[in-house]
Amino acid sequence: MFSSLSLSLTALTVAFVVPSAVNAHGYVHSLEVGGKNYTGWLPFTDPYESPVPNRIVRKLPDDGPVLDASSSDLACNKGGESPAGAVATAAAGSNVVFDWLTWPSDHMGPVSTYMTSCNGDCKTFDASNAKWFKVDASGYTNGKWAATQLIDNGFKWTSTIPSGLKPGNYLIRNEIVALHSAGQPQYYPSCAQLSVTGSGTTVPSGSELVSIPGIYNNVQWPDIWDDNFKSFAAPGPAVAFSGSSSGSEGSDPAPSSSAKSSAAASSTHNSATHVSSAETSHSATSTHVSISVPTTTAEPANTSIASSSAAASTGRCRSKRRRGMVKRHVSHHAKRHH
Ligand SMILES: *[C@@H]1O[C@H](CO)[C@@H](O)[C@H](O)[C@H]1NC(C)=O
Ligand SMILES: *[C@@H]1O[C@H](CO)[C@@H](O)[C@H](O)[C@H]1NC(C)=O
């Protein structure tokens, strides 16, 4: 019974998941800092200009994701440990607006902003061993992912440099994590170089400082296409200078957020529990993979990770919108056979 059910689920899923249009990802193509508008690093044109422009944003090679949460690329994108040629001046307490060129609506997930001191000139600062503090972060709240809020806000994310922050040179890092590909989160970080002015004296405490990579170790990312998915707080430390070590949105430590989402997942539809795990693994084998890839049954998780990396590294990202339809269809089908 169970194996014939599994077979028909596979057939259905494969039939319904068809390759769809290639999505363009975004990158921070402009910023407002200290009330001034700065052009970001434009990966598809800046490298070919003569001279190559000095930007406040550190270079990234393209609009593709970082896939390895333990890579040094997680800090400031691929090659972003190396400095950029310009620095923007902004007062503590003022806003920094990150303006993304575009963002695909199915690339849903958390958005966060961190800062780190450059310990001197940002134009000579290697970000590899930096200690970062969180400025803001948002996961999934009130039925909406932070990435969707960013899209709804014209692809813009606004962060506030903490008021009272000790003046000096800082990197500010804005990141979208896209969770559309189950089992393979995609990280899109971008760092800009700031000179913060003011008369503040506040510096982050030791417990507010984290390493990047490091913030996503042991994070259990949710399956955002799971019908029972309800909430997810952005991972990482508490927002610095927030005066409390927990409680505010976006500052919940990872373990409590994953506990929350698994609690949510197990609280409904008892009868569908084993069916939904079958759904998840079968869907995972066939998403982010064109249907020409043979379906395997042995190690779905490994297959999924390998194929989604391959797809992402070629810069291609297929829409997952159909997956929701497939899953709904599949669960009806499964219930009829129950
Ligand atoms: C900077 O100016 C450009 C051109 O007017 C505009 O498209 C962009 O949104 C501005 N950036 C920000 C962050 O406001
Ligand atoms: C993946 O592959 C490794 C090595 O082949 C294996 O040990 C592991 O059990 C596989 N499955 C997962 C889910 O990692």
Side-chain angles (χ1 to χ4, degrees), residues 30-32 37 97 99 156:
S30 82
L31 300 90
E32 190 185 291
N37 185 305
V97 182
D99 178 16
K156 291 189 173 87

